[in-house]
Amino acid sequence: MTKQSFATALMTMVGAAVFAVSLPAAPVHAEEGALTKAWNSTRQGTEKAWDKTKTGTDRAWDKTKVDTDKVWDKTRTGTEKVWDKTKSGTEKAWDKTKTGTTDAAHDVGRWGERTGQKIGNTSTAVGHDIRNGFTDDDKK
């Protein structure tokens, strides 16, 4: 091999090496572009999913709030009606108890009077009968 052919071969190899080193740079840039696109796509998809979740959560919360208010209103109204019925029933029961107690007290008082009259009449009649038994009087 001559010096000239050796120099030509060396230059060819250096040129090939430079060429070879320059080739991977293009795919790396292409990969960076693909990674950037993938990242942007993932980020945008995540943002859209988050927005949908947030919107759905807001709607669900609003519906729950409205439905809870409706249930509370029904509960409050029902409780008021039940309380009014209980109060009314208690007042009626108390009035009946009061009237019954008063009537019973009056009856006891009248019973004492009636019993006293009957005892008084009975003692007079018994006394009269006893007297008649000891005397010959037919006076009754």
Side-chain angles (χ1 to χ4, degrees):
M1 206 191 242
T2 63
K3 284 185 176 186
Q4 192 173 3
S5 58
F6 179 77
T8 304
L10 182 63
M11 288 303 284
T12 304
M13 289 186 351
V14 169
V18 169
F19 178 75
V21 172
S22 70
L23 286 178
V28 169
H29 289 295
E31 254 182 54
E32 264 184 34
L35 288 175
T36 302
K37 286 181 185 179
W39 171 250
N40 287 339
S41 176
T42 301
R43 187 172 46 86
Q44 289 170 356
T46 302
E47 287 173 0
K48 286 179 185 177
W50 178 251
D51 289 344
K52 284 183 179 181
T53 302
K54 182 181 175 198
T55 302
T57 302
D58 288 345
R59 287 182 185 163
W61 178 251
D62 290 345
K63 185 169 176 23
T64 301
K65 181 181 174 196
V66 168
D67 290 347
T68 301
D69 288 344
K70 288 178 185 177
V71 169
W72 176 248
D73 289 343
K74 285 182 180 181
T75 302
R76 188 176 64 225
T77 301
T79 302
E80 288 172 359
K81 288 179 182 177
V82 169
W83 179 252
D84 290 345
K85 284 183 180 182
T86 302
K87 181 181 173 189
S88 174
T90 303
E91 288 172 355
K92 288 178 184 176
W94 178 251
D95 289 345
K96 284 184 178 182
T97 302
K98 180 181 173 187
T99 301
T101 303
T102 303
D103 290 348
H106 289 289
D107 284 348
V108 168
R110 286 191 295 267
W111 176 79
E113 290 171 7
R114 288 190 307 258
T115 303
Q117 289 172 354
K118 286 186 179 189
I119 290 173
N121 292 341
T122 303
S123 65
T124 303
V126 169
H128 188 29
D129 288 343
I130 291 173
R131 189 177 67 98
N132 283 342
F134 289 119
T135 64
D136 286 336
D137 261 349
D138 286 340
K139 295 180 187 174
K140 292 188 182 180

